[in-house]
Amino acid sequence: MKLSLLTNELISTGLKFQPTYQKGLTNHLPMTLVALDQMGAEDERLLGFYHQYITQLENVARNDAFLSQANKIEQLIKRSGIDATLQQYLPKLIASFASQAFHCLIRLAYAVKSQQPREIAYSLAYWEQNYRPLAPLATTDSYNAAEQLKQLTQVLSTTSFHADNISERINEVAKRPNYLKLATVPCDITLENALQLIIKQYRTTNDFTLLHGITALHAFIELSPYFSDQTTALHWFWQSYTAAFATACHVFNHKSSQTSAPHLSWLETLSRGSLSHNDHTIKLIYSCSEIYKRYPFAELKQIAHQRIAQEGL
């Protein structure tokens, strides 16, 4: 479904803001606008979110290095087209899926949904400037994906991290020998297997870091047509997820409380979810609904309904 004229206008106007603010927090404005639009939000809701959200953002005008890179990419898009540009850039970027806590990946997927060349250029420039591979890629048949997560929990569940945000913690864990020993990707990992495990870890914990596994995998699926080697791309993604998981596996030492959740149709789920004031909730519910179209796992609905219950929507 195409975006509304208003949504496209707000995304375009929002390009005057930095991709990050307040010393590294991600600007979720364009992503959330796309999600709200696709969830059926009315113009009043879109405008309300835009004007509320921009109060915390920072102007991009003085970020000369970023703007120069974005301009260069935009010119390439104008010459070669969106598809060719993505096919050129993505093979160079997939070793860094976890950059900015997966938000470079996520913003690009939403930008492609908008089909706005400058927003796509911003997203690619954002990712390129934050490119940071975690570890060399290798595969193994000595454990499967579930066993890998179990072993990571065993060795890292009591580990503390000094970093304040998810991205910094991921970069921190990637330097630790006890993670690096288990960073090798199971050679038999599949997209469906990865999805089932990512859903399970989030449902079990309701953890904010692990929430990003779902929204990131949704973005990965959306961008998958542009990966020249699907298997290698999935291996890089899984390595990034395990690093994020390693920073959060201490949460398995505590049981997550569950709120009684309603049983709703997807239409009602999206309608209620669009009323949230939490951009992560909006994107989580939208991601669950989109993934469900391809992988109709009941747990995706349950996650969305649980989030609605938690916020009393």
Side-chain angles (χ1 to χ4, degrees), residues 214-256:
I214 294 176
T215 52
L217 188 57
H218 168 218
F220 177 88
I221 292 169
E222 292 297 319
L223 291 175
S224 61
Y226 304 102
F227 301 141
S228 56
D229 185 334
Q230 301 283 325
T231 299
T232 299
L234 178 60
H235 288 170
W236 280 117
F237 180 86
W238 184 251
Q239 184 201 75
S240 292
Y241 176 76
T242 61
F245 176 87
T247 72
C249 59
H250 63 278
V251 299
F252 290 92
N253 295 329
H254 312 283
K255 288 188 176 181
S256 172

Side-chain angles (χ1 to χ4, degrees), residues 196-207:
Q196 289 172 324
L197 289 168
I198 289 168
I199 290 171
K200 179 182 177 181
Q201 307 316 314
Y202 177 67
R203 282 200 71 218
T204 302
T205 63
N206 195 33
D207 179 74

Side-chain angles (χ1 to χ4, degrees), residues 130-167:
N130 288 280
Y131 179 82
R132 189 170 181 176
L134 300 176
L137 187 65
T139 60
T140 182
D141 59 5
S142 63
Y143 50 67
N144 62 33
E147 291 166 345
Q148 181 185 19
L149 297 185
K150 184 177 180 180
Q151 290 183 43
L152 283 168
T153 302
Q154 290 170 347
V155 301
L156 286 161
S157 62
T158 59
T159 302
S160 59
F161 296 92
H162 303 295
D164 292 330
N165 63 45
I166 297 171
S167 182

Side-chain angles (χ1 to χ4, degrees), residues 18 27 46 66 107 110-111 142 154 175 193 205 230 308:
Q18 296 263 24
N27 170 3
L46 291 163
F66 173 78
R107 178 162 181 172
Y110 280 80
S142 63
Q154 290 170 347
K175 299 175 183 177
N193 181 214
T205 63
Q230 301 283 325
I308 285 171

Side-chain angles (χ1 to χ4, degrees), residues 9 12-13 41-42 45 60 93 140 154 156 178 208 213 229 245-247 260:
E9 287 174 7
S12 181
T13 304
E42 299 289 341
R45 173 73 182 107
V60 74
L93 295 173
T140 182
Q154 290 170 347
L156 286 161
N178 51 0
F208 181 65
D229 185 334
F245 176 87
T247 72
S260 178

Side-chain angles (χ1 to χ4, degrees), residues 15-313:
L15 291 171
K16 64 186 176 184
F17 299 110
Q18 296 263 24
T20 60
Y21 64 99
Q22 293 178 11
K23 299 181 180 179
L25 294 177
T26 293
N27 170 3
H28 291 258
L29 179 64
M31 298 175 268
T32 313
L33 287 170
V34 171
L36 284 171
D37 178 288
Q38 298 295 286
M39 293 164 77
E42 299 289 341
D43 286 358
E44 183 179 358
R45 173 73 182 107
L46 291 163
L47 285 166
F49 176 83
Y50 177 87
H51 289 296
Q52 174 272 322
Y53 196 86
I54 63 172
T55 58
Q56 62 199 330
L57 301 182
E58 300 166 8
N59 198 291
V60 74
R62 294 185 180 180
N63 193 340
D64 293 336
F66 173 78
L67 288 173
S68 175
Q69 184 63 11
N71 290 339
K72 173 187 169 185
I73 298 171
E74 185 179 17
Q75 291 305 311
L76 178 60
I77 291 172
K78 288 179 179 178
R79 291 195 308 270
S80 304
I82 291 172
D83 288 1
T85 302
L86 292 171
Q87 288 163 359
Q88 175 178 328
Y89 269 84
L90 279 172
K92 299 183 291 185
L93 295 173
I94 61 173
S96 183
F97 278 126
S99 291
Q100 292 296 103
F102 296 97
H103 287 119
C104 298
L105 162 69
I106 296 169
R107 178 162 181 172
L108 178 61
Y110 280 80
V112 172
K113 185 78 174 176
S114 77
Q115 287 290 290
Q116 289 197 29
R118 188 151 183 82
E119 171 59 20
I120 293 170
Y122 261 51
S123 303
L124 285 168
Y126 177 41
W127 196 344
E128 194 166 43
Q129 287 200 336
N130 288 280
Y131 179 82
R132 189 170 181 176
L134 300 176
L137 187 65
T139 60
T140 182
D141 59 5
S142 63
Y143 50 67
N144 62 33
E147 291 166 345
Q148 181 185 19
L149 297 185
K150 184 177 180 180
Q151 290 183 43
L152 283 168
T153 302
Q154 290 170 347
V155 301
L156 286 161
S157 62
T158 59
T159 302
S160 59
F161 296 92
H162 303 295
D164 292 330
N165 63 45
I166 297 171
S167 182
E168 291 171 354
R169 289 196 295 273
I170 290 173
N171 291 329
E172 186 180 336
V173 80
K175 299 175 183 177
R176 300 199 174 192
N178 51 0
Y179 166 72
L180 291 172
K181 289 177 183 176
L182 291 165
T184 306
V185 177
C187 57
D188 61 349
I189 186 77
T190 65
L191 183 60
E192 186 168 335
N193 181 214
L195 174 59
Q196 289 172 324
L197 289 168
I198 289 168
I199 290 171
K200 179 182 177 181
Q201 307 316 314
Y202 177 67
R203 282 200 71 218
T204 302
T205 63
N206 195 33
D207 179 74
F208 181 65
T209 296
L210 299 180
L211 174 154
H212 290 78
I214 294 176
T215 52
L217 188 57
H218 168 218
F220 177 88
I221 292 169
E222 292 297 319
L223 291 175
S224 61
Y226 304 102
F227 301 141
S228 56
D229 185 334
Q230 301 283 325
T231 299
T232 299
L234 178 60
H235 288 170
W236 280 117
F237 180 86
W238 184 251
Q239 184 201 75
S240 292
Y241 176 76
T242 61
F245 176 87
T247 72
C249 59
H250 63 278
V251 299
F252 290 92
N253 295 329
H254 312 283
K255 288 188 176 181
S256 172
S257 60
Q258 298 286 319
T259 306
S260 178
H263 297 283
L264 308 168
S265 67
W266 272 119
L267 183 63
E268 182 65 17
T269 300
L270 295 174
S271 178
R272 291 198 195 183
S274 70
L275 300 176
S276 175
H277 295 288
N278 184 323
D279 47 285
H280 283 92
T281 293
I282 293 167
K283 291 194 288 93
L284 175 65
I285 292 174
Y286 174 61
S287 289
C288 285
S289 70
E290 289 297 294
I291 296 171
Y292 187 88
K293 292 176 182 177
R294 305 188 192 197
Y295 300 95
F297 298 147
E299 294 85 352
L300 290 164
K301 260 193 174 185
Q302 292 162 7
I303 287 170
H305 294 167
Q306 186 67 32
R307 199 75 181 189
I308 285 171
Q310 288 170 355
E311 295 191 18
L313 299 172

